[in-house]
Amino acid sequence: MVLIKDILSPENEGKTVSIKGFANSVRKGKNNVFIMLRDPTGLIQCVSHTGESPFELTDTITRESSMGVEGTIKQDQRAEGGYELHIGSIKIFGLAEPFPLKKGHNKVYLFDNRHLWFRSVRVTSIMKIRSTVFESIHSFFKENGFYEIQSPSFVGGSVEGGSTLFNVDYFGKKAYLTQSWQLYAEAMVDSLWKIYTVAPSFRAEKSRTWRHLTEFWHAEAEVAFADNNDIMDIEEKLIKYVVKTVLEKNQRELEILKRDVKILENVVNKPFLRMRYEEIIDLANKNGLKLEYGADLGADEERVITSKLETPVFSMNYPIKLKPFYHKPDPSDPSHVLCNDLLAPEGYGEIVGAGQRVDDKETLIKRIEEEGLDVKDYEWYIDLRRYGAIPHSGFGLGVDRLVMWICKLPHIAYAVPFPRTMRRLKP
Ligand code: ATP
Ligand code: MG
């Protein structure tokens, strides 16, 4: 199939080509019809004049109709994109009824019509970048000796705390949708040593923020014999790799989104900052917040902390109370854990949650009890410390959040084909 991007070059002048697409816009004059034809790769102006054989049919075309067009190409400075296709013949696949989307609709209306809005050049550009992000995450792990492996989506217990669990009726028993592959990863890492997965995670997020979905794509990795510093190195390499690939492959899409790429270039070229929790609190307070030591950091706080940054920052070693039971207490200061959250600059905040895991049985049981959880529910997980425990660390990257930040979008929903939030289940 011939695509629009392939015909927009001077050596095609005068050639006859056959392309397919949708009418992005239609302009009808007294003596001619102009159709801006759109395919996944670009736009080209197609024109038909009165008196020519395809004119009558072309004149019936409405916005968002789909068609095949055969015609000759000529360079024309007046045409958007610099080229024009003079229509020789046209075949309509589907004549569109009056299209319900125009400029200036509000966000709710657009998401109610996501199935149609999806075709817009802007949304298409975001989805192409999303495709590169997923592809490059897989290539990074494959090039670095990781095995891809899967964990179940139906689970019997919580990883990230009970308040965001989705209940499922499982043949009369209570089951949940997975929040993370974490506990299963720790079993699988004992045999495979370097593993990753890219899969949906589910969280019943009731706090509605610009960065929370109820179903999101989670790229998770677990590495045997890695400590908190080693895992940060891997996270940094991964993010640099993904951003570099997007800069190489999606120049056009970044231009369409008017994304200033300077910061993305910094991400590739400059080392990420590494700051301990207390330094992050200081930074927040220097930027006008009034956080006490021990405060948790959410979307609003991280927005302030990262808004002036030009590279991502690792926020490390949180107070133990702020993190789930599986995080390893720092042996030199057991009131803090060996963890790191990677915060994206420009106000975006957390895109990765990571850390070293508890690797001894006694500490693990104590931490489970301290969190008010039932040790019985975690017996198989505790087994992993009974029979040959090893030091290990891992991370979870929110892929939709990464896409949101790379594209500099105002809300995570824009980064997802059909977003799921507390208020949206359709379309
Ligand atoms: P937050 O503090 O923003 O709620 P979290 O600390 O609960 O995030 P983790 O449990 O560390 O998140 O999950 C790992 C990563 O998964 C996060 O860094 C984030 O990128 C992503 N993530 C977590 N929850 C969501 C969500 N509801 N929607 C989209 N992405 C999410
Ligand atoms: Mg986190």
Side-chain angles (χ1 to χ4, degrees), residues 271-288:
F272 294 3
L273 299 170
R274 296 190 181 194
M275 295 169 85
R276 295 174 62 93
Y277 170 84
E278 54 268 25
E279 297 174 273
I280 290 282
I281 294 287
D282 279 349
L283 177 62
N285 291 342
K286 279 199 190 99
N287 283 307

Side-chain angles (χ1 to χ4, degrees), residues 323 341 350 353:
K323 290 288 169 182
D341 280 1
E350 182 178 338

Side-chain angles (χ1 to χ4, degrees), residues 47-212:
V47 63
S48 180
H49 304 287
T50 43
E52 297 169 353
S53 62
F55 183 80
E56 214 171 305
L57 190 57
T58 309
D59 201 33
T60 66
I61 284 174
T62 49
R63 204 177 135 220
E64 290 303 325
S65 295
S66 52
M67 69 208 78
V69 178
E70 194 190 66
T72 46
I73 301 184
K74 77 174 199 313
Q75 263 184 301
D76 187 337
Q77 291 317 319
R78 290 164 307 170
E80 196 187 320
Y83 289 86
E84 191 174 80
L85 190 80
H86 186 180
I87 302 174
S89 68
I90 193 158
K91 177 177 185 300
I92 299 174
F93 299 121
L95 200 60
E97 295 174 27
F99 198 61
L101 299 184
K102 298 182 186 71
K103 276 211 170 70
H105 290 301
N106 68 32
K107 204 174 107 190
V108 174
Y109 183 84
L110 289 171
F111 277 109
D112 284 344
N113 287 283
R114 185 66 163 172
H115 54 296
L116 300 176
W117 180 30
F118 198 85
R119 314 173 174 180
S120 75
V121 172
R122 230 186 112 77
V123 177
T124 306
S125 301
I126 294 168
M127 295 308 146
K128 284 193 209 167
I129 291 173
R130 186 178 165 96
S131 170
T132 305
V133 168
F134 275 81
E135 178 191 329
S136 57
I137 289 172
H138 284 284
S139 340
F140 173 84
F141 284 121
K142 303 236 146 101
E143 285 171 20
N144 285 282
F146 283 73
Y147 294 101
E148 181 179 5
I149 195 78
Q150 294 75 30
S151 70
S153 295
F154 288 126
V155 295
S158 130
V159 181
E160 294 296 326
S163 66
T164 63
L165 279 175
F166 270 113
N167 298 317
V168 185
D169 173 32
Y170 199 75
F171 307 107
K173 284 204 194 102
K174 206 178 211 180
Y176 309 102
L177 294 179
T178 183
Q179 298 165 306
S180 160
W181 82 331
Q182 168 82 41
L183 307 187
Y184 296 95
E186 291 186 58
M188 298 188 287
V189 82
D190 281 349
S191 72
L192 295 168
W193 291 19
K194 287 173 84 173
I195 55 173
Y196 85 98
T197 203
V198 182
S201 281
F202 303 89
R203 299 192 189 178
E205 304 279 3
K206 284 157 217 126
S207 65
R208 274 176 264 119
T209 78
W210 47 270
R211 69 180 201 187
H212 286 98

Side-chain angles (χ1 to χ4, degrees), residues 346-410:
E346 302 177 278
Y348 281 92
E350 182 178 338
I351 53 170
V352 185
Q356 194 166 338
R357 320 306 189 186
V358 174
D359 48 30
D360 76 279
K361 191 182 80 181
E362 281 69 36
T363 311
L364 183 60
I365 293 175
K366 186 168 145 266
R367 291 290 297 121
I368 292 173
E369 285 169 350
E370 278 171 3
E371 296 224 346
L373 300 165
D374 192 345
V375 175
K376 279 207 300 296
D377 290 342
Y378 295 92
E379 275 307 326
W380 71 260
Y381 182 65
I382 299 167
D383 267 353
L384 304 173
R385 279 77 183 160
R386 286 194 180 100
Y387 308 107
I390 51 168
H392 60 288
S393 301
F395 65 85
L397 160 69
V399 187
D400 317 279
R401 282 197 194 172
L402 177 59
V403 174
M404 164 175 65
W405 162 55
I406 290 177
C407 297
K408 208 169 178 187
L409 306 173

Side-chain angles (χ1 to χ4, degrees), residues 7-13 36 43-46 73-85:
I7 61 174
L8 301 179
S9 68
E11 68 264 26
N12 288 322
E13 175 78 27
M36 198 45 114
L43 295 164
I44 187 168
Q45 174 167 293
C46 304
I73 301 184
K74 77 174 199 313
Q75 263 184 301
D76 187 337
Q77 291 317 319
R78 290 164 307 170
E80 196 187 320
Y83 289 86
E84 191 174 80
L85 190 80

